[in-house]
Structure formats: structure tokens, C-alpha cells
Amino acid sequence: MKIMRWIIFCLILGILVLLFFHEEGDFTLSQSFKNMIASSDKSTMLTSIIIFADLEDKNIEYLLIDRLPESKGIERSAILYSLYMHNGNLEQEFIDSIQVDEQSIRDLLVLESPSGSYFRAPYLRVIKAIGDISIHNDKALEKLKRIYQYSDGWQGDSILEMIIAAERIRGNDTNLLLDSLFE
């Protein structure tokens, strides 16, 4: 019985290894991400760029680096977010890429994932990264406050929590902060 379990385990492991290294057609993870990044659907493209931050693939990273000079707006922010998550030395470039005019912020806040789930929407990761950086970066905190001005509902609540947390860690009075945000 132990030998049979061992054989089944080896077979399953072998199949998984074959599937992992299979490089034909559109089967590979790299090829799938490249196709999604090249998609004409904006939310699919942005979602794939942002989700790439959780993966390690040099081919896709080089693709994003090549695409960066011609990107603008939310796409540029998404690319810099992914590259920042892979390589922390792009923090300032990422913060600078976040546009704080009303239309850009509204575009960022209503961007949804391709599956229609606002709870897994890509902008949440970008805003959370800004919130994490705002603990030690004044420019990021100001941009987070600006985003908060145009958010509402649960989005606004979660962004407000990030602002309050950053201000508390910095040792600032959060009562004065709340007064200034609601003016």
C-alpha cells in the first residue's frame, strides 16, 4: 500500500513538473500575462499589470520596463507600482506617477477588475501601497489625502483609516486631522 501511494505521488509530481515547464502555445504563465497586458480592454490590462507585482518573471518585468516610457496616467502608475513592488528603489517615481486631479482620481476609484469584483479591484493595491509609503513620505500622505477627498462609502472609510494610521505613527494629533479633512 505504501508503494502504491509513493507511485501515485511521483506520478502527480511528474505531471505537475511537466505542466510547469510546458512551453507550447499560450499555456505558459508568461505568455498569458503578455497577452493580458497587450489587451485592448483597459481593466484587463491594468489588472494584469498590477497583479504581476505578486509574481516573479523577468520576461514580464522587462516588458513593463520597455512599456514604461510610452505609458501615461493610470497605466503608468500601475507599471510603476508593479516595478516598485519588485524593486523598492522606485518609490519616489511611483508616488510621482499618481495624478491628483479630480478626473484621474475618479478614474482610479471606479476602475474595477475584469470579473466585476470591487473587493479585488486593482486600485485597492495601488492605494494601499500609497498608504504604506505615507507613513514616512509626506508627498505620499498628501496624495492619499487628496484621493480621500473624492472617495466615498467603504472606499473613503478604508482610505481614512490609512490616513489616520499614518498620522498616528508620525505622532500627529488625529483630532485636528479629522477636522481639517472634513472642512
Side-chain angles (χ1 to χ4, degrees):
M1 194 56 120
K2 287 184 178 180
I3 294 174
M4 189 60 117
R5 286 185 197 162
W6 181 250
I7 291 172
I8 292 173
F9 173 75
C10 288
L11 284 173
I12 292 172
L13 182 63
I15 290 170
L16 289 175
V17 168
L18 285 174
L19 288 175
F20 183 75
F21 290 108
H22 189 249
E23 302 246 354
E24 291 182 19
D26 293 338
F27 188 73
T28 64
L29 184 65
S30 293
Q31 190 60 40
S32 297
F33 265 85
K34 286 178 183 178
N35 291 343
M36 288 190 297
I37 291 171
S39 173
S40 60
D41 180 42
K42 187 175 182 176
S43 64
T44 299
M45 176 197 56
L46 292 173
T47 300
S48 62
I49 291 170
I50 292 171
I51 289 175
F52 170 69
D54 296 336
L55 305 173
E56 287 291 327
D57 188 327
K58 289 295 182 188
N59 292 329
I60 299 173
E61 189 172 347
Y62 294 139
L63 174 72
L64 292 179
I65 290 170
D66 289 343
R67 192 177 175 120
L68 182 61
E70 60 203 36
S71 64
K72 58 185 175 202
I74 294 174
E75 180 184 357
R76 184 171 184 78
S77 298
I79 290 172
L80 282 167
Y81 163 78
S82 284
L83 295 174
Y84 163 70
M85 295 306 282
H86 281 269
N87 185 352
N89 66 0
L90 295 173
E91 179 179 295
Q92 197 57 48
E93 289 84 355
F94 167 59
I95 294 301
D96 291 341
S97 74
I98 304 294
Q99 299 176 356
V100 291
D101 61 284
E102 181 178 356
Q103 188 58 46
S104 296
I105 292 172
R106 292 197 186 278
D107 289 344
L108 180 67
L109 291 173
V110 299
L111 181 68
E112 65 179 276
S113 66
S115 63
S117 169
Y118 282 99
F119 291 102
R120 292 189 288 166
Y123 67 82
L124 293 175
R125 293 178 183 209
V126 173
I127 293 173
K128 176 150 180 14
I130 297 168
D132 292 342
I133 296 169
S134 69
I135 292 170
H136 63 273
N137 186 306
D138 293 334
K139 195 172 191 179
L141 183 59
E142 289 306 313
K143 289 193 177 204
L144 191 63
K145 288 177 182 178
R146 182 81 170 144
I147 293 170
Y148 172 72
Q149 290 177 340
Y150 296 105
S151 63
D152 60 359
W154 62 270
Q155 294 171 338
D157 293 343
S158 59
I159 294 170
L160 181 60
E161 286 177 20
M162 285 187 258
I163 294 170
I164 291 173
E167 290 287 0
R168 282 189 180 145
I169 290 172
R170 290 167 167 241
N172 296 336
D173 184 7
T174 56
N175 291 330
L176 294 175
L177 166 73
L178 291 174
D179 292 341
S180 69
L181 289 174
F182 292 118
E183 288 179 351

